[in-house]
Each structure stands twice: as C-alpha cells, then as structure tokens.
Amino acid sequence: IGPNGAGKSTLLLLMARILAPSSGHLRVKGKTDPFFQLAAGLRPNLSVLDNLSLCAALLGIPRREFQRRLPRILDFSGLHDYLYARYGELSSGLAARLPFAVALHADLDIILIDEMLAVVDRAFQAQSIEAFKALASRGKTLVLVSHSLEMIRSLCSRALYLREGEAAFCGNAATAVKRFIADVDGA
C-alpha cells in the first residue's frame, strides 16, 4: 500500500523480474508471472478465445493443458458469451477478467496483482477474493497492490507500506493500513 508514486508497481516489476534492482538485491523463491501486466500483451483485434490462448502461452501453459483448463477459466471469468467477440470491444471490466482468470489458473507459486480488481464488478471481486483465499490455503503467495484499504485489511495478513520508494512499515496488515491512514490524515 502507499500513495501514488510510492513504488508499489515498480516493486511488482522487480518481483516479476521485468526490472533489475538499481542497488541491493531481490530474491524471489518460486515461479511467478513475468507478464503480470498481461493485458499489455493482448491484442484488441483478436477474439477473446485467441487472447485467452495467447495469455496462456505467455504464462507457459502448453496448448493441450490450456484446452483442458479452458472450461474452468471460462467459468471463472464469465466470458462464455464473448468467446468470439473482439477483445478490444469488451468493457474494461470484462477485459480485465481475461488475463486475471488465466493467471489464476496457471501453475504459479507467486501471483502478482496490481490494482486489477479496481475495474471489475462486485460479484467478480468477491469471486476473486475467494480464489485468493483458496490459493493461499494451497501455499501460494499473493502480492496485491491496491488502494482498497479494506481489501488489504481483510485479505492480507502482512502488508508493506511504501512511501517515496522506501518501506515505511512492514508487518501486520491492519497496522500498516492504520499507519498509512495516519500519515495521509496528518499530511
């Protein structure tokens, strides 16, 4: 958590190994998504189905395995009725579901989420939160960047509060949220 420009998305880029640290070092143990901003790699002129396939390929899911997982991905995303629509014609909320659903069904140890739930409806948010809890119960790590402090408080056991590129606090999520709010209110 932290204000705009604090370094939250940059930290995710470092964790995804898209950026290298300019000093120090970062160790990531486990398979993470080097394409966590998957929507950036999708093609608006291709169909939703083609983009689902592209997204799966970017995440290293073999074609045959993608075909096996596709029904679950579609059930989760709710995109059954849009399979042959052009991806670029979807609303922002529906478009956000596509890469998110594929990433949740990939074999990742660490799932990086950068404000992806901000544009989806409440029902999909609730479904996603249940999926996060299920992944965590299976030993997966979720790294969530969000301005929804209530989501951070309710979903995360630990939080990192960044301020001007520095760690202002790392620990209990409720405490991190309180510190952030106190700094914002005191500013």
Side-chain angles (χ1 to χ4, degrees), residues 2 6 13 15 18 39 41-43 47 69 72 89-91 111 114 129 169 175 184:
L13 290 167
M15 293 176 78
I18 295 169
L42 299 181
R43 302 291 179 244
S47 71
R69 294 180 193 185
R72 289 193 322 257
E89 295 173 350
L90 297 179
S91 70
I111 297 137
D114 191 3
I129 289 169
F169 177 82
T175 303
V184 170

Side-chain angles (χ1 to χ4, degrees), residues 38-48 50-51 54 58 86-88:
L38 282 169
L42 299 181
R43 302 291 179 244
N45 291 328
L46 294 179
S47 71
V48 167
D50 289 339
N51 274 290
L54 173 61
L58 289 171
R86 288 181 357 161
Y87 178 72

Side-chain angles (χ1 to χ4, degrees), residues 111-157:
I111 297 137
L112 306 173
I113 304 153
D114 191 3
E115 286 291 351
M116 197 172 287
L117 295 178
V119 297
V120 296
D121 60 39
R122 290 177 56 91
F124 190 77
Q125 284 180 6
Q127 176 183 331
S128 298
I129 289 169
E130 289 307 310
F132 295 161
K133 290 176 182 176
L135 288 166
S137 74
R138 293 189 352 238
K140 304 296 183 177
T141 299
L142 302 166
V143 181
L144 171 66
V145 168
S146 180
H147 288 285
S148 171
L149 299 179
E150 185 52 42
M151 184 180 296
I152 297 294
R153 206 179 356 246
S154 67
L155 192 58
C156 303
S157 58

Side-chain angles (χ1 to χ4, degrees), residues 73-94:
I73 293 168
L74 289 173
D75 288 344
F76 186 86
S77 68
L79 294 172
H80 290 96
D81 295 339
Y82 302 94
L83 274 182
Y84 301 102
R86 288 181 357 161
Y87 178 72
E89 295 173 350
L90 297 179
S91 70
S92 59
L94 287 175

